């Protein structure tokens, strides 16, 4: 192609051979680059700015990508709580409801359905199920799980999973992790994707609906550089690092990853603070100082989401209480044993005869144990209530002293560390 004699136009072969594929006769186009955003000559370095198409292009060229693919857009005014991206849509979407009941201290999680999950099996399908954890402090004690739906990429569960003993402090600081996994009977279950919802986004007694794309499990590695990632709602979710380039062989990589795992665990403990321990479940306690009987009435109501200590996945829990300091060693009380359960109901009361002024200097230690025949009983978790305690434990004790003759029920978190004086207690 030539213009004036002696002048050659510089048009590359890709642009010269490009064709317009819209319906109708095939015709060449002048410049294929007209289909892409570019700045032309004009004021401030661009006449039309990014995204402006030439006027001579047809309707097909001006159509947005969503229209070309047949995608639909949400209706105007509809509240859509979702997060879409090219990296996450391949994993599928999950639809669920969350409701925080402040009166009963429960978190209701309704797992509805999933769509377009990633195929995980050889038949191009999957056997998906959903499991829930509360972060930080995720462990088997606070894991909830749905049933498995077989051979489907669009499972429907319609299951209600409930966390008991959820306090306002939990709503402020906790994050609910919802994971979708593929069950495999012959090997380990495979991870598909997850969603993390900060509980502070929930309003008491108001159900919130979610329909969100699953995200990949972000690997956390320790290396030379680190960045902070943010989730779909602007929450800090993870820290990613790059590994040193000298770790090339699989053996050196495995050794490095084991060291990285230990390092990250220590780093997480430092960042979370020394007061945050592993959670082992929740316990509902009732405190009331009786002016007529001149003593403290302690009610052991129930426990929820206890850690499983036996091989069958359950525990045989019972509760012990001490009022410290206990010079005469007569403050011990113990409930009966509830067999094979992680959510026992006791409804037992213990009485400590004591003046109200003396009670202010005391500490109530509550420990939960797993009963075993023929060997030492296993410690599940404990909590200490007193003016020297922290957060809800301190507030519960203080309210009991300030409101005599009033029965105050509060949920408390059981931790893996024994109270200071409980370590020397006998196992039975």
């Amino acid at each position: 192609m030539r213009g004036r004699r002696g002048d050659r136009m510089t048009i590359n072969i890709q642009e010269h051979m490009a064709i317009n594929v819209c319906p109708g006769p095939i015709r060449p186009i002048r410049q294929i680059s007209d289909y892409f955003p570019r700045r032309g000559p004009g004021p401030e370095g661009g006449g039309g700015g990014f995204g402006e198409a030439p006027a001579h292009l047809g309707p097909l060229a001006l159509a947005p990508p969503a229209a070309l693919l047949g995608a639909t857009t949400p209706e105007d005014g509809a509240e859509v709580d979702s997060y879409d991206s090219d990296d996450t849509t391949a994993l599928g979407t999950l639809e669920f409801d969350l409701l925080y009941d402040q009166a009963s201290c429960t978190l209701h999680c309704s797992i509805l359905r999933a769509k377009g999950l990633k195929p995980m099996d050889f038949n191009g399908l999957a056997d998906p199920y959903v499991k829930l954890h509360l972060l930080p402090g995720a462990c088997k004690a606070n894991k909830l799980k749905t049933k498995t739906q077989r051979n489907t990429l669009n499972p429907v569960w319609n299951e209600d999973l409930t966390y008991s003993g959820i306090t306002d402090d939990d709503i402020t600081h906790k994050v609910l992790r919802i994971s979708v996994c593929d069950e495999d009977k012959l090997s380990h279950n495979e991870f598909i994707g997850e969603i993390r919802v900060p509980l502070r986004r929930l309003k008491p007694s108001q159900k919130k609906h979610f329909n969100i794309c699953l995200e990949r499990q972000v690997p956390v590695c320790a290396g030379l550089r680190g960045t902070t990632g943010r989730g779909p709602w602007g929450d800090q979710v993870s820290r990613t690092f790059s590994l040193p380039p000298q770790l090339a062989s699989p053996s050196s990589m495995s050794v490095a990853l084991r060291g990285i795992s230990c390092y990250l665990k220590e780093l997480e403990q430092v960042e979370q603070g020394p007061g945050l321990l592993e959670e082992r479940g929740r316990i509902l306690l009732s405190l009331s100082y009786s002016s007529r009987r001149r003593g403290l009435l302690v009610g052991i109501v129930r426990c929820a989401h206890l850690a499983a200590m036996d091989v069958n996945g359950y525990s045989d829990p019972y509760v012990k209480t001490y009022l410290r300091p206990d010079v005469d060693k007569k403050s011990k009380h113990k409930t009966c044993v509830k067999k094979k359960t992680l959510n026992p109901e006791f409804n037992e009361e213990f009485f400590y005869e004591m003046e109200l002024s003396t009670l202010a200097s005391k500490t109530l230690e509550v420990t939960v144990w797993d009963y075993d025949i023929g060997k030492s009983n296993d410690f599940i978790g404990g909590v200490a209530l007193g003016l020297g305690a922290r957060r809800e434990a301190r507030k519960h004790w203080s309210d009991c002293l300030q409101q005599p003759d009033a029965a105050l029920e509060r949920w408390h978190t059981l931790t893996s560390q024994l109270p200071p004086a409980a370590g020397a207690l006998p196992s039975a």
Side-chain angles (χ1 to χ4, degrees), residues 296-423:
L296 176 66
L297 190 63
V298 180
I300 310 298
V301 183
R302 56 175 295 206
C303 294
H305 314 299
L306 293 180
M309 307 301 291
D310 298 335
V311 293
N312 58 7
Y314 294 96
S315 294
D316 301 322
Y318 67 94
V319 180
K320 292 192 296 183
T321 64
Y322 285 84
L323 197 60
R324 304 289 187 183
D326 184 19
V327 180
D328 299 330
K329 300 188 182 298
K330 295 181 180 180
S331 67
K332 174 184 173 181
H333 290 284
K334 184 171 71 171
T335 67
C336 61
V337 178
K338 299 295 182 178
K339 294 289 186 179
K340 202 175 181 181
T341 178
L342 300 179
N343 300 279
E345 294 189 9
F346 298 99
N347 294 317
E348 298 187 32
E349 293 182 340
F350 306 129
F351 182 75
Y352 293 99
E353 184 176 356
M354 189 170 300
E355 294 293 333
L356 183 61
S357 57
T358 308
L359 191 62
S361 60
K362 297 289 186 178
T363 299
L364 178 66
E365 294 179 357
V366 182
T367 54
V368 182
W369 300 79
D370 171 53
Y371 177 75
D372 288 322
I373 300 177
K375 61 179 182 178
S376 299
N377 298 329
D378 298 321
F379 173 73
I380 297 179
V383 61
L385 287 75
L387 296 180
R390 301 180 59 189
R391 295 183 178 177
E392 192 64 29
R394 177 188 175 91
K395 189 176 186 301
H396 194 184
W397 190 259
S398 178
D399 291 346
C400 175
L401 298 180
Q402 297 174 7
Q403 305 175 35
D405 300 316
L408 305 175
E409 284 190 359
R410 305 280 174 81
W411 283 95
H412 297 277
T413 301
L414 300 171
T415 60
S416 57
Q417 181 175 327
L418 283 164

Side-chain angles (χ1 to χ4, degrees), residues 52-68:
E52 293 188 2
H56 65 271
L57 293 182
L60 181 62
L62 296 175
L68 294 176

Side-chain angles (χ1 to χ4, degrees), residues 187-264:
S187 62
H188 296 291
N189 297 339
E190 295 180 290
F191 174 84
I192 298 178
E194 70 173 22
I195 296 170
R196 300 195 180 195
V197 182
L199 296 185
R200 64 175 177 269
R201 304 185 66 238
L202 304 180
K203 296 181 179 179
S205 303
Q206 293 186 14
K207 180 181 291 187
K208 191 171 183 63
H209 182 75
F210 296 85
N211 188 8
I212 308 178
C213 288
L214 297 173
E215 298 178 345
R216 290 182 174 86
Q217 198 171 27
V218 180
V220 182
C221 302
L224 299 178
R225 299 185 302 274
T227 59
T228 301
R230 292 191 177 272
W233 304 292
D235 304 290
Q236 182 172 331
V237 293
S238 64
R239 179 183 291 107
T240 57
F241 295 89
S242 59
L243 283 171
Q246 62 269 23
L247 299 177
S249 64
S251 59
S252 60
M253 286 291 293
S254 61
V255 172
L257 290 176
R258 283 197 296 269
I260 289 169
S261 177
C262 297
Y263 165 78
L264 291 175

